[in-house]
Amino acid sequence: MNDNKIKCMYFDHRFTGKPQGKQCGWVQKSLTQTDITIENLADALCHGASFKPGVLVGGNKAENWYQQQLFGLDFDNGVMIEDTYNKVISLGITPCFMYTTFSHKEEHHKFRMIFCNDTVITDGNVRDRLQATLMGIIGGIDEVCFNRDRLFFGGKGKVVLHPDFEARINAESIIEKYWNDDFEQYISNAKPKSKKRNSPAASSKSKDKGDTNKEYQPYENLNVKAIKEHDVEYLRKVLAHEPIEFENKNEFWDYIYSELDIAELIDIDDPRSFCCVLHDDRNPSANIFTTQNGVQKYRCCSENLTLNIKQLIEMLGNFKSEYKAIQFIMDIYNLCRA
Ligand SMILES: [Zn+2]
């Protein structure tokens, strides 16, 4: 019981409402690797704390994933708490606890279900398969919760639902019993990035041409292509941005200009110097810098252009109106204004 502590990324600040705008960035920066009992975690989440089930080392992104024992599922499409609980129990999979999120209502249930594996998982492929299997067999889950760097905010429910803190699942037996090739979609959807990924081992059975075809010679920046083609769906997957709501315009624009990462958006490895994505550039003439006010800017020296992220998207996407460009930004980054 005493050494029942589990590692996760955790931030103990107790929010009383869903974190908004800049608060989201603050949470991301404040999460630290923490050993905590499941009981304490459950109680903290019911009182507004935040956590990431995946343990990340050296950064906050999916590529920094190191190990994981806790698994979370996010339900917000109208399924009911009791029905969902009964379903997992009938499948022989027992969660450690459930809790309602900030936006939960009696007439529209929004909640999370947290599982604990019997061992710490250090193999990313096993982690992905388990997450995908849980999502696939239970259903009704927000797909964004697949990601290795997924952040879960707490809620204000105060009461832990269906606590069974000692309950453990076994990744191997769940995958063996329930894996279905259709679940592969969750994994491949979350694994975009036009860059060469560290190991192709992840997709032993991958049927996509994308992975195997290395003949794509002239390096094609898929993010830039997607902006040009207004491909919202692709960019939503690549950016995998947490949904954020803004209460007012200032907060909204502040976030867009200072928090959104231009280098990530246009998939640039070294923002200090790269070939401009706006013109045919053989010698790197572009860079990304941050002004004293904290605004990120895209700079092309050969065309003498300095653009903020909105202007860059307007230009790349050749949008007919500013309104359409803003709508596009909101769509790809999952942002909404109250
Ligand atoms: Zn240029």
Side-chain angles (χ1 to χ4, degrees), residues 178-193:
Y178 293 113
W179 173 258
N180 173 324
D181 282 342
D182 291 345
F183 303 160
E184 188 78 43
Q185 59 175 319
Y186 301 122
I187 302 178
S188 49
N189 282 352
K191 205 181 290 160
K193 290 288 173 189

Side-chain angles (χ1 to χ4, degrees), residues 145-303:
C145 87
F146 177 83
N147 297 355
R148 293 181 180 188
D149 59 340
R150 171 66 173 171
L151 164 66
F152 289 101
F153 292 127
K156 52 182 184 333
K158 305 251 188 324
V159 182
V160 179
L161 305 174
H162 296 291
D164 188 349
F165 303 128
E166 312 285 313
R168 296 293 179 270
I169 58 174
N170 178 264
E172 271 168 38
S173 64
I174 288 178
I175 293 167
E176 192 182 301
K177 190 164 174 194
Y178 293 113
W179 173 258
N180 173 324
D181 282 342
D182 291 345
F183 303 160
E184 188 78 43
Q185 59 175 319
Y186 301 122
I187 302 178
S188 49
N189 282 352
K191 205 181 290 160
K193 290 288 173 189
S194 40
K195 281 172 245 174
K196 329 85 209 168
R197 278 305 204 164
N198 15 14
S199 92
S203 43
S204 46
K205 264 210 252 171
S206 159
K207 19 169 183 188
D208 328 14
K209 311 94 209 172
D211 290 351
T212 41
N213 278 7
K214 286 216 169 123
E215 305 94 72
Y216 274 165
Q217 249 336 309
Y219 166 70
E220 192 181 21
N221 186 318
L222 296 178
N223 288 26
V224 170
K225 181 166 174 265
I227 297 171
K228 287 181 176 165
E229 293 172 357
H230 302 185
D231 186 345
V232 170
E233 207 184 323
Y234 178 83
L235 289 164
R236 274 179 82 95
K237 282 172 194 160
V238 185
L239 299 167
H241 207 268
E242 305 289 333
I244 303 185
E245 288 167 31
F246 296 90
E247 275 168 350
N248 60 60
K249 264 194 162 168
N250 284 347
E251 205 180 58
F252 177 75
W253 285 111
D254 210 33
Y255 185 85
I256 287 188
Y257 290 142
S258 6
E259 300 290 327
L260 296 180
D261 185 350
I262 295 180
E264 182 190 38
L265 172 66
I266 55 173
D267 198 15
I268 297 299
D269 282 325
D270 184 359
R272 290 167 304 181
S273 173
F274 56 91
C275 290
C276 179
V277 298
L278 295 162
H279 78 277
D280 184 20
D281 193 7
R282 306 290 160 90
N283 298 305
S285 67
N287 65 77
I288 295 162
F289 68 96
T290 305
T291 68
Q292 286 189 329
N293 302 332
V295 175
Q296 280 201 28
K297 300 267 189 171
Y298 180 100
R299 168 89 186 139
C300 169
C301 300
S302 56
E303 294 164 298

